[in-house]
Amino acid sequence: MVDLSQYLPILLFLGVALALSTAFVVLPMVVAKATGAHKPNADKLSEYECGFPAFEDPRSQFDVRFYLVAILFIIFDLEAAFLYPWAVSVFNLGWTAWISMMIFIGELALGLVYAWKKGALDWE
């Protein structure tokens, strides 16, 4: 015979999780209906962007330059993330760590100059 009592804590946990998740989803909707906060009108349902109505189709594609600027931001953000731990421990690591970081910063500077010359940072 199989002893199912060892599964009781798991079933209790699942029951409590289901009850809480249902309460967190359903309870705000019930309270909104009961208090009158759920009264849709044209102003509440209108789309807006920065306080004024949208002037383009929201499904339109972004310009490629937006993605280029985003990728450049991520690259230089990662540079800063690598630079902080290095700066804390540079005196313990010696000249090898200093030279390797200068090479790393030089490569990133060359990448920035290349992106600048190609016009990736120009916005029309």
Side-chain angles (χ1 to χ4, degrees):
M1 180 116 194
V2 179
D3 183 23
L4 297 178
S5 64
Q6 59 186 345
Y7 292 109
L8 184 62
I10 296 173
L11 289 175
L12 286 174
F13 178 76
L14 288 175
V16 169
L18 185 63
L20 283 176
S21 61
T22 303
F24 285 143
V25 170
V26 173
L27 194 60
M29 290 189 284
V30 170
V31 169
K33 294 263 188 199
T35 59
H38 181 72
K39 291 183 180 175
N41 60 23
D43 289 335
K44 283 185 180 180
L45 297 176
S46 66
E47 298 175 355
Y48 66 93
E49 180 70 30
C50 300
F52 55 86
F55 52 86
E56 287 186 17
D57 183 23
R59 292 176 298 275
S60 64
Q61 293 181 347
F62 284 103
D63 194 4
V64 173
R65 291 175 292 188
F66 172 78
Y67 295 110
L68 290 174
V69 171
I71 288 171
L72 288 173
F73 173 76
I74 290 172
I75 288 171
F76 289 106
D77 190 40
L78 287 175
E79 174 193 2
F82 285 130
L83 198 58
Y84 286 127
W86 171 81
V88 170
S89 61
V90 68
F91 295 115
N92 298 332
L93 297 176
W95 284 101
T96 306
W98 189 83
I99 291 171
S100 63
M101 184 55 77
M102 292 304 115
I103 291 171
F104 177 69
I105 292 174
E107 288 174 354
L108 285 172
L110 285 174
L112 177 63
V113 168
Y114 176 77
W116 199 327
K117 292 289 183 183
K118 286 290 186 177
L121 300 176
D122 294 336
W123 203 266
E124 296 173 1

